[in-house]
Amino acid sequence: MNISPWRSSLNDALNCNSSQPHSRYFQLATVQADGRPVNRTVVFRGFLGDTNQLKIVIDTRSQKYEQILHQPWGEICWYFTETREQFRLAGELTLVDANHPDPELQKARQSTWQGLSDNARLQFAWEQPGEARASQDTFSPPSPDPVNPLGNFCLLLLDPVKVDHLQLKGDPQNRWFYLRGESEIWSTVEVNP
């Protein structure tokens, strides 16, 4: 796998902003079946092994799961307050649910589940997301198995094809486009901010 040139800039931003808890969150935009955009905040769960794919977790019962089934492309926007820089990563989304045929991705799904906190795993045992509010006692289910994921737990991977990196410090500001071409080769173009 060819690790992209934008990864070092993103890793630097993550390290410099690590004291800011919100630096672990970014916005994920997808498209609904009717063509309307949808945006939500999700947690960055790291990269898939030695790839450029970002890991996110979702519930298969959620609307975003259905949206991604119909339109498997998305874009994230990640702003780092300490270093004043923004990364926008656009790419293909892959759903790794309990029925995904790739055994390596199933291992990644399981290890991601195991890496979640007890509270994060517990949310996958709550009532159906997006439905009418359930009674309070349904939000205190038994703790799920910390080793084997619940059936509705899904690993979502974003495989970027374009990255837009903007540094808001400086006069003028700095901006780069990173584009993935044939054979997974990345090109870098410095552009006007």
Side-chain angles (χ1 to χ4, degrees):
M1 179 66 181
N2 182 13
I3 299 299
S4 65
W6 54 265
R7 281 282 299 272
S8 61
S9 296
L10 181 58
N11 286 338
D12 289 346
L14 285 164
N15 288 333
C16 290
N17 290 271
S18 63
S19 65
Q20 307 294 319
H22 58 266
S23 68
R24 295 182 35 239
Y25 302 92
F26 52 75
Q27 284 63 53
L28 169 65
T30 57
V31 178
Q32 299 179 86
D34 64 4
R36 293 182 182 183
V38 181
N39 196 0
R40 81 279 291 156
T41 302
V42 295
V43 180
F44 174 56
R45 301 291 178 178
F47 289 97
L48 177 66
D50 292 329
T51 75
N52 296 314
Q53 296 180 61
L54 289 84
K55 297 191 307 181
I56 304 161
V57 299
I58 65 171
D59 192 317
T60 61
R61 302 171 299 166
S62 70
Q63 290 178 337
K64 63 182 156 276
Y65 180 83
E66 290 299 320
Q67 292 159 1
I68 294 165
L69 275 177
H70 295 292
Q71 178 53 267
W73 287 88
E75 181 171 280
I76 68 167
C77 185
W78 206 340
Y79 182 71
F80 295 96
T81 57
E82 193 71 27
T83 55
R84 295 186 56 219
E85 59 191 313
Q86 173 182 273
F87 288 84
R88 289 176 40 215
L89 295 87
E92 189 168 6
L93 296 165
T94 300
L95 294 164
V96 184
D97 59 17
N99 299 315
H100 196 282
D102 186 320
E104 290 304 310
L105 290 180
Q106 283 297 340
K107 287 180 190 174
R109 176 178 172 265
Q110 183 173 18
S111 66
T112 302
W113 171 262
Q114 293 168 355
L116 296 179
S117 68
D118 290 340
N119 286 339
R121 282 192 295 267
L122 192 61
Q123 293 176 24
F124 288 90
W126 289 353
E127 291 295 318
Q128 173 79 28
E131 296 293 320
R133 180 70 179 213
S135 63
Q136 188 61 34
D137 62 320
T138 63
F139 293 99
S140 299
S143 294
D145 181 344
V147 175
N148 298 305
L150 290 175
N152 57 304
F153 174 75
C154 184
L155 173 62
L156 175 63
L157 302 172
L158 173 72
D159 190 9
V161 296
K162 179 181 179 182
V163 176
D164 181 345
H165 177 204
L166 173 63
Q167 291 178 327
L168 293 168
K169 287 184 178 178
D171 186 20
Q173 302 161 347
N174 297 302
R175 188 175 182 192
W176 298 268
F177 288 161
Y178 300 92
L179 304 168
R180 189 176 78 194
E182 298 295 318
S183 304
E184 303 291 314
I185 303 298
W186 286 87
S187 63
T188 305
V189 180
E190 190 168 7
V191 297
N192 294 326

